[in-house]
Amino acid sequence: MTEPDIKKGLAGVVVDYTAVSKVNPETNSLLYRGYPVQELAATQPFEAVAYLLWHGELPTDVQLAQLRATERAYRHLPADVRAAIDLVPIDAHPMDEVRTAVSLIGARDLAGTGSVLEVSGSVDENLARSIRLFAVLPAIVAYGQRRRRGQQPVAPRDDLDYAANFLWMTFDEQADDVVVDAFNRSMILYAEHSFNASTFTARVVTSTLSDLYSAVVAAIGALKGPLHGGANEAVLHIFDEIGTAENVGPWLDQALAEKRKIMGFGHRVYKKGDSRVPTMKTALDTLVEHYGRRDVAALYETLESEFVSRKGIYPNLDYPSGPAYNLMGFDTLTFTPLFVAARVTGWTAHIMEQLASNALIRPLSEYNGPDERHIEGYVADA
Ligand code: CMC
């Protein structure tokens, strides 16, 4: 019998076409609908990139204004969603809050739909659902952090765009432009990355003709893991463990002796460096300067150079974004929910793409369990 050619973790397997983004590990590049991500991060507000991912083109001024008006209309925290978040134990991981909130929003939106045959929705319905989730997630994430600090939610401000309003709702003060800019860039860099684990999860759920909210809830579950989105939180745990740049050498000796994974390094696709890191590192540098925290840059750079020289494994996006979010004032536990708020744009673009040319995703497996056996005393019905 010939052994099947199993690709563990689907490594290297091309499972479908996508027009949403292109990752090229050879040239270290990432294109969203054809545009290099670093050009988008340097020139566009996150709302325009969301529009690009959904529609395939950057918005005109009128289209951007329309999207912003809808986003403003849905950016407040609904009372029932707040009540649902309050039911989640205060010491549960905030990704559980976000997952619960999206689940409730989906149940509310789809109430009365009736048959499962109706839930996958039309293109227009799914676009509207995508915009509403994109609009409300900042309020959910911001409230999560405030709740853990014993603070009340902060009402959104109509005079602020997405990134500035997100920071406002989290911190109850207007952020400096340099912070808003770094935050906006991080949202754009996190927005989309082809068939990563959470996006593929969303596409698998969508392929059964389930609804967009179920696909996003499943994607949030996949993103929570430390090998995927949870890595940005894990980077800060490592920074806290190491303390200062002087401790990097001995800390790394021990971590490698214990065969620990160093969070924020390595990538399934990029082997020569993550295309998004230089842009996010530049944003981190502006924050280091702004807050006068050269110690953070020293720790970052020392760990990076030591680990790369010892293992030849490069940082991924979570490595600069973790300390950047920390400098902005986000709690470590809030980092992965921030990733959700950004990646919901990519997930929903992929959900709509999957529906547009759907095939049920149902791979095969090779059985390696016990040979056929039988229940003692069982007699088959005549
Ligand atoms: N620290 C130490 N060793 C590593 C690391 C790391 N961060 N990454 C890879 N390696 C080693 C690994 O131990 C293995 O060594 P060996 O061949 O001796 O057993 C080799 O490199 C190949 O690693 P792998 O885990 O089999 O490779 P992969 O392509 O499955 O891994 C990865 C990709 C992201 C799961 C892995 O690099 C990792 O666990 N990194 C740390 C977690 C992390 O930062 N995740 C964020 C990924 S990017 C952002 C996102 O998608 O959310």
Side-chain angles (χ1 to χ4, degrees), residues 227-229 231 261-268 271 313 316 318:
L227 297 189
H228 189 12
K261 280 266 176 91
I262 312 303
M263 293 298 161
F265 287 86
H267 200 276
R268 171 60 66 78
K271 297 300 176 194
I313 297 174
N316 56 57
D318 294 319

Side-chain angles (χ1 to χ4, degrees), residues 175-189:
D176 291 321
D177 288 348
V178 64
V179 179
V180 175
D181 182 62
F183 185 62
N184 182 65
R185 285 172 195 249
S186 78
M187 290 283 112
I188 291 173
L189 294 171

Side-chain angles (χ1 to χ4, degrees), residues 53-102:
L53 292 172
W54 291 324
H55 295 276
E57 296 296 336
L58 283 166
T60 62
D61 289 348
V62 171
Q63 288 164 335
L64 181 58
Q66 282 168 347
L67 174 61
R68 282 181 155 156
T70 313
E71 186 264 316
R72 277 167 169 71
Y74 288 98
R75 57 164 53 160
H76 60 279
L77 184 66
D80 60 344
V81 175
R82 179 183 177 181
I85 291 173
D86 287 339
L87 285 174
V88 177
I90 194 79
D91 56 353
H93 194 281
M95 286 293 276
D96 299 347
E97 277 171 9
V98 179
R99 198 186 60 227
T100 302
V102 172

Side-chain angles (χ1 to χ4, degrees), residues 190 193 196-197 223 225-232 235 256 259-269 271 274 276 307 311 313 316-318 339 343:
Y190 266 134
H193 212 214
N196 56 84
L223 191 73
L227 297 189
H228 189 12
N232 60 7
V235 169
L256 293 179
K259 301 211 173 313
R260 279 177 67 178
K261 280 266 176 91
I262 312 303
M263 293 298 161
F265 287 86
H267 200 276
R268 171 60 66 78
V269 181
K271 297 300 176 194
D274 181 328
R276 304 162 294 179
F307 189 63
K311 297 286 286 185
I313 297 174
N316 56 57
L317 174 60
D318 294 319
F339 195 159
R343 187 58 62 86

